[in-house]
Amino acid sequence: MATRSTIMDTNSFRAEHADGLDADARQLTQKRGRLLGDSYRLFYRKPVHLVRGQGQYLWDADGTQYLDVYNNVASIGHCHPAVIAAVHAQMQQLNTHTRYLHEGILNYTEDLLTTLPTEISKAMYMCTGSEANDLAIRVARAYSGGTGIIVSREAYHGTSELTSGASPALGSGQPLAATTRLVDAPDRYRVDAPDLGAWFAAEIQKQIDDMAAHGIRFAGFLADSIFSSDGVLPGPAGYLKAAVDVVHRNGGIFIADEVQPGFARTGDAFWGFARHGVVPDVVTTGKPMGNGIPVSGLLARPEVLAAFSDEIPYFNTFGGNPVSMAAAQAVLKVIREEELQAHSQRVGAQLLTELARLAERHDCVGDVRGAGLFIGFELVADRDSKTPDKARALDVVEQLRERRVLTSVAGPHGNVLKLRPPLAFQARDIDWLVGALDEALAATAR
């Protein structure tokens, strides 16, 4: 029997919850069940019917206001006026594909590349992070001549055939590719190693050796540098360098999946990988890039990309279209003008401090960790044994929802609250979040 997906099934509405819904919510869930494919999932035992968003806030159909502490799709804030204006203006002029000349894609690429190491100088565009990671795997295989991809044990990198085969977080119903290998995540809370970087590099080498023993040539290591699906694991800055060195020594490439840690999210740097002083061979991005407009990208060292692009033409009908590029350009401008990287670092540090104080009052909190506005809040049944408490984490998520705070869980055990608000989140919102969390922890005490 297939195991549930940690990212899809853990915090989700199921049929047995229907009796707890009001008439309108029950009607909508029933209509969804009748019209939409059964693969879809809703958040919460009592799904939220959202109709409006602004900045870090959302409103439901009854006009109730919520604090969004989960959303990096609208990364710079829901319905940001700069993005709305840019998209509206471009829609009035032209929207087409990349087989015609257009300044928008070129101007944006020049601007985006200034945020990256100089070694990375080529870009390609798609619509989703899944597409970006799919292409990245193809590039890794073309460059290395191998097929083997290493990911962390609870990674999520997309929904295409290639990326779902390298996304163990989707559960056992979605089989991994025979050429995929898993490494334990670099979890400083649970891994007893004096040097986390050396330990993780050794884990990478073990899987490369295992590939060789099975006749599989290593192609690359694909990771999001904060290991968000593994439970939000920022680790000490710099520890990933040893692992990347191992990847290169074995002829593979490092693909930095920046869909979650990129675009100023982690505060210390514009890109998550930059916290570690490494230069990836390929960088992929998606959701936060367009603030809700479907746009994604792959950025690469030219010699790495050439192994693929010199041999195979690539075309994505909507990838890099003028409207999406206008949205992406507006996002980049807002991040700079509103100084959101410094904001993420400053407000994230304040939030982390308050959450650590909260943890002192609740024995069920095992660990609080994060970088910028990306924080993991881990719940355990016993601090000494560090036994994960998934049931309580899910109850806390529901209690937060009742207190109008929206978030979800992550990690292989589903016991880590994933606190990742839009970058519009302000210091004044900390009291709402921490106060609601304090009450939720008290309400779920056993």
Side-chain angles (χ1 to χ4, degrees):
M1 184 176 178
T3 59
R4 289 183 178 273
S5 163
T6 54
I7 61 169
M8 294 293 289
D9 291 314
T10 309
N11 170 26
S12 64
F13 169 78
R14 294 190 292 278
E16 60 262 33
H17 301 143
D19 290 343
L21 303 183
D22 62 37
D24 288 341
R26 188 180 302 113
Q27 186 270 333
L28 282 174
T29 58
Q30 290 172 346
K31 191 172 184 179
R32 277 178 62 103
R34 187 172 73 252
L35 297 174
L36 302 182
D38 293 337
S39 293
Y40 285 119
R41 301 289 188 272
L42 285 162
F43 278 137
Y44 302 108
R45 297 165 195 160
K46 293 182 180 179
V48 186
H49 180 190
L50 297 175
V51 298
R52 185 165 70 90
Q54 187 66 52
Q56 65 275 43
Y57 305 121
L58 293 161
W59 286 263
D60 68 14
D62 295 325
T64 302
Q65 183 179 356
Y66 294 80
L67 176 63
D68 187 352
V69 192
Y70 190 70
N71 211 313
N72 80 323
V73 177
S75 179
I76 59 173
H78 294 279
C79 299
H80 196 290
V83 178
I84 293 171
V87 168
H88 179 66
Q90 186 57 52
M91 281 290 287
Q92 291 180 307
Q93 297 175 5
L94 173 73
N95 198 29
T96 187
H97 52 70
T98 55
R99 297 191 72 178
Y100 301 104
L101 291 172
H102 197 272
E103 296 86 353
I105 190 171
L106 304 178
N107 294 340
Y108 175 71
T109 301
E110 283 186 329
D111 200 2
L112 185 63
L113 288 174
T114 65
T115 69
L116 288 150
T118 56
E119 294 91 336
I120 297 173
S121 61
K122 288 279 189 176
M124 297 181 74
Y125 295 101
M126 309 87 208
C127 304
T128 67
S130 295
E131 290 175 291
N133 284 330
D134 187 286
L135 181 58
I137 292 173
R138 295 174 68 187
V139 169
R141 290 175 170 176
Y143 180 75
S144 66
T147 57
I149 299 294
I150 295 174
V151 296
S152 57
R153 193 164 298 280
E154 202 62 26
Y156 171 70
H157 295 294
T159 57
S160 70
E161 178 71 16
L162 279 180
T163 56
S164 61
S167 295
L170 290 174
S172 61
Q174 168 59 60
L176 295 177
T179 51
T180 296
R181 292 294 183 275
L182 307 181
V183 288
D184 288 336
D187 184 349
R188 187 164 55 168
Y189 176 57
R190 296 182 178 277
V191 172
D192 183 16
D195 186 330
L196 187 65
W199 174 86
F200 193 54
E203 294 298 301
I204 296 282
Q205 186 64 60
K206 287 178 187 176
Q207 295 307 316
I208 295 173
D209 293 343
D210 181 74
M211 286 181 181
H214 288 85
I216 299 170
R217 186 170 177 178
F218 175 53
F221 170 49
L222 170 59
D224 110 49
S225 58
I226 203 162
F227 295 89
S228 51
S229 296
D230 290 278
V232 188
L233 307 171
Y239 83 90
L240 270 184
K241 187 177 186 307
V244 174
D245 288 345
V246 164
V247 168
H248 287 152
R249 282 201 301 271
N250 285 273
I253 71 168
F254 171 46
I255 304 165
D257 180 344
E258 291 288 319
V259 172
Q260 299 205 53
F263 286 87
R265 166 64 57 185
T266 59
D268 294 340
F270 189 91
W271 300 102
F273 67 78
R275 292 182 64 243
H276 299 285
V278 299
V279 178
D281 302 287
V282 172
V283 176
T284 58
T285 187
K287 291 186 284 260
M289 188 175 176
N291 209 56
I293 294 295
V295 57
S296 66
L298 179 149
L299 305 124
R301 296 176 186 254
E303 68 275 15
V304 172
L305 186 58
F308 174 86
S309 59
D310 286 0
E311 300 295 328
I312 301 174
Y314 179 86
F315 178 63
N316 185 309
T317 302
F318 296 108
N321 72 76
V323 169
S324 290
M325 290 294 95
Q329 185 70 72
V331 168
L332 202 54
K333 185 179 180 183
V334 166
I335 289 173
R336 289 180 174 131
E337 289 183 348
E338 297 185 9
E339 299 180 339
L340 291 182
Q341 182 183 321
H343 170 83
S344 180
Q345 184 181 50
R346 181 178 64 257
V347 176
Q350 292 172 357
L351 176 57
L352 199 62
T353 297
E354 293 304 315
L355 290 171
R357 289 174 179 163
L358 181 63
E360 293 174 359
R361 302 201 300 273
H362 296 275
D363 291 341
C364 63
V365 182
D367 193 34
V368 183
R369 52 189 179 255
L373 284 171
F374 208 148
I375 293 172
F377 192 83
E378 180 156 358
L379 300 185
V380 294
D382 179 80
R383 278 186 173 175
D384 292 333
S385 65
K386 301 181 181 179
T387 305
D389 198 339
K390 174 182 176 179
R392 187 165 188 179
L394 292 176
D395 287 343
V396 167
V397 165
E398 297 292 340
Q399 288 288 331
L400 287 172
R401 179 240 185 276
E402 295 301 316
R403 290 161 176 79
R404 299 174 291 112
V405 174
L406 303 180
T407 191
S408 193
V409 292
H413 308 291
N415 68 313
V416 180
L417 301 190
K418 188 176 184 180
L419 307 179
R420 181 195 53 182
L423 300 184
F425 184 92
Q426 301 293 323
R428 65 176 180 270
D429 298 310
I430 292 175
D431 284 348
W432 185 353
L433 169 57
V434 175
L437 186 52
D438 191 12
E439 292 177 3
L441 292 171
T444 58
R446 297 185 179 91

